[in-house]
Amino acid sequence: MDRFPFPDDLIAAQREWHAAYRALAVPRPRHATELRRRLLLLSVRVEWHPFWSTPAGWSPAARVELRRLAAGGRQVEAA
């Protein structure tokens, strides 16, 4: 059983955030403006998701666990 019952859309948004971050982190990324806009949009979706107002989402450990889960075995960037 999962410790935190993350909604699928929240996990997907966090995974997309990681992908956009990695794409923007390469030297001389193509379409940097679009990637920055995408990263900003995904940041807002993750930060203001309704899950964070539930009792399971109150814990700071939930945010760490979401980043770990969405990273999928990759080392999570310090935030």
Side-chain angles (χ1 to χ4, degrees):
M1 183 173 163
D2 292 331
R3 182 171 176 198
F4 298 103
F6 296 117
D8 292 336
D9 63 328
L10 180 57
I11 295 170
Q14 186 66 49
R15 284 186 177 143
E16 290 176 39
W17 187 95
H18 280 288
Y21 187 90
R22 284 190 304 272
L24 195 55
V26 300
R28 299 176 55 134
R30 298 194 61 155
H31 310 289
T33 301
E34 290 86 359
L35 285 170
R36 284 189 204 101
R37 287 180 182 151
R38 182 77 177 142
L39 196 59
L40 183 58
L41 173 73
L42 290 167
S43 295
V44 170
R45 280 189 191 163
V46 170
E47 181 66 26
W48 293 102
H49 194 279
F51 173 77
W52 304 122
S53 62
T54 66
W58 290 346
S59 168
R63 292 184 187 269
V64 173
E65 181 63 18
L66 176 65
R67 285 192 295 266
R68 187 199 62 76
L69 177 68
R74 294 180 182 266
Q75 185 163 350
V76 179
E77 299 87 17

